[in-house]
Amino acid sequence: MSGNGTGPTHDPYAAEAATARAGLVRLITLGGGAADPHWRAAFAEVPRHLFVPVYYVGVAGGYERRAADHPDPERRREWLRGAYADSALATHVSGGELVSSSSQPSLMATMLAELRIEDGHEVLEIGTGTGYNAALLSHRLGDRRVTTVDLDEEITGPAREHLAAAGYRPLVVTGDGALGCPDRAPFDRIMATCRLPSVPQAWVAQCRTGGLILTPLATGLVLLRVTGPGRAEGRFLSTPAYFVRLRSAGSAERPEDAAADRERAAARDAAGALPPEALADERFHFLRALSAGTLEPDAAYALWRAEHRPRRERFGVTVEPGRQWAWLDAPNGPHRWPLPGPG
């Protein structure tokens, strides 16, 4: 289902981009993503390159700019190839810090599939970024059923332009994503494309009972089902996930962020004391991130060994009014950790 029928603007790269998109869809499909024909059609038809007219690739000492307006034709072709690589693309860098990106397409396909979106669903996206994910949602559901939120007009303004150029016009809101979008609630699905330390209570309140919330947390993705007023619960997906952190209007003053920074510093200080088998295992780092501020490195290592190096899908999160916690195997089992918040 395409946008609102206005159609995209003239695109000089249309033919070459269509071929590149077909290759990307084949790659995603071979990897097990985009099994639903609705999402295959979305990835095949939404022109990602219109959402990343400029992006940055990491090089020694910083970032290298790639752009559609480069005067060298070969560099423009390099930009277009990169736009359809199955890679995350840095799109906004401020003061040397990455503040916005376009996520890896195969990971986006996984997230969209896990949300089990159906015709008629109302979806809220937290973290507009370039607008590409909102375009995929609009292709599937139509513009009127998609709302996307980001904190700064310097992000949402260009995203609106990218969306319009591609022929899509979902509602793009400039605001604090941690607060959701109460004016458009309730939603059937809420998805975040930015990392945060806990699940904002506003999201749970704005999602219908039975609805799903998918959000990055620690270094994973947790899929929650809303089970009643202010309550949601669910497990992590198996896939690792690394996202730009949520920039909230109050984030600079949040004490839990400072505590998390101290915990990360302590983990670095203790790293030399941990066995190499732990430091080399991504599953251990996930446990450390999820239990930050609760488990010291040696305690996390002991649990990791005792529980046979648990995979992500053994962990979950429960949100209740005024409190939330992460857990291993069971919400009320012996291994659980409070999360910062409530959000």
Side-chain angles (χ1 to χ4, degrees):
M1 181 181 295
S2 174
N4 63 0
T6 59
T9 57
H10 173 69
D11 177 10
Y13 300 101
E16 189 174 354
T19 301
R21 272 198 307 283
L24 177 61
V25 172
R26 284 194 297 273
L27 185 64
I28 293 173
T29 304
L30 286 172
D36 185 327
H38 291 102
W39 294 123
R40 280 202 304 276
F43 280 97
E45 295 172 23
V46 175
R48 189 188 191 202
H49 67 286
L50 294 184
F51 295 86
V52 289
V54 176
Y55 61 86
Y56 302 86
V57 295
V59 295
Y63 293 93
E64 176 183 278
R65 184 179 187 270
R66 292 185 181 173
D69 61 0
H70 197 285
D72 183 345
E74 180 52 39
R75 295 297 298 274
R76 293 198 297 273
R77 284 191 287 271
E78 182 181 47
W79 157 79
L80 187 63
R81 287 194 298 270
Y84 288 103
D86 187 26
S87 304
L89 299 175
T91 55
H92 193 88
V93 178
S94 178
E97 179 187 5
L98 175 62
V99 297
S100 185
S101 65
S102 179
S103 301
Q104 182 180 12
S106 59
L107 179 58
M108 297 171 70
T110 295
M111 294 175 70
L112 291 167
E114 290 290 343
L115 279 170
R116 300 194 285 279
I117 290 171
E118 299 176 0
D119 290 349
H121 276 172
E122 303 277 349
V123 179
L124 171 64
E125 178 196 29
I126 309 297
T128 305
T130 66
Y132 178 55
N133 192 63
L136 294 169
L137 288 165
S138 291
H139 187 285
R140 172 68 179 85
L141 294 170
D143 294 341
R144 293 184 300 105
R145 298 191 180 278
V146 178
T147 304
T148 181
V149 181
D150 215 305
L151 184 63
D152 294 330
E153 182 64 27
E154 65 181 0
I155 300 296
T156 55
R160 288 188 193 95
E161 295 174 3
H162 300 157
L163 284 157
Y168 300 98
R169 286 181 171 78
L171 180 63
V172 181
V173 177
T174 303
D176 188 343
L179 302 179
C181 188
D183 291 346
R184 298 268 285 189
F187 300 96
D188 300 285
R189 301 289 187 266
I190 297 177
M191 68 180 302
T193 53
C194 45
R195 174 176 50 85
L196 63 170
S198 59
V199 181
Q201 292 279 353
W203 298 0
V204 181
Q206 292 171 31
C207 192
R208 290 187 173 95
T209 298
L212 299 177
I213 300 172
L214 179 61
T215 182
L217 192 67
T219 62
L221 290 163
V222 66
L223 181 64
L224 306 173
R225 182 175 293 279
V226 177
T227 57
R231 193 180 192 282
E233 189 169 88
R235 291 183 179 268
F236 281 86
L237 307 185
S238 61
T239 181
Y242 301 89
F243 284 83
V244 175
R245 68 179 177 85
L246 172 70
R247 294 184 303 140
S248 173
S251 60
E253 302 174 358
R254 289 167 64 94
E256 61 267 26
D257 288 345
D261 288 341
R262 290 194 297 271
E263 179 66 21
R264 283 191 291 271
R268 287 193 297 271
D269 293 342
L274 293 171
E277 64 169 345
L279 297 177
D281 194 310
E282 195 274 334
R283 290 171 294 180
F284 174 74
H285 291 288
F286 170 72
L287 170 59
R288 288 288 297 116
L290 190 61
S291 62
T294 302
L295 292 182
E296 295 297 322
D298 56 346
Y301 175 67
L303 175 61
W304 180 74
R305 285 294 304 273
E307 293 295 329
H308 309 290
R309 306 178 183 184
R311 296 181 179 276
R312 274 182 175 78
E313 53 267 39
R314 287 179 60 187
F315 294 88
V317 169
T318 299
V319 179
E320 293 184 345
R323 66 175 186 147
Q324 56 186 282
W325 65 96
W327 39 266
L328 173 64
D329 290 334
N332 296 312
H335 305 304
R336 49 183 177 165
W337 311 274
L339 294 175

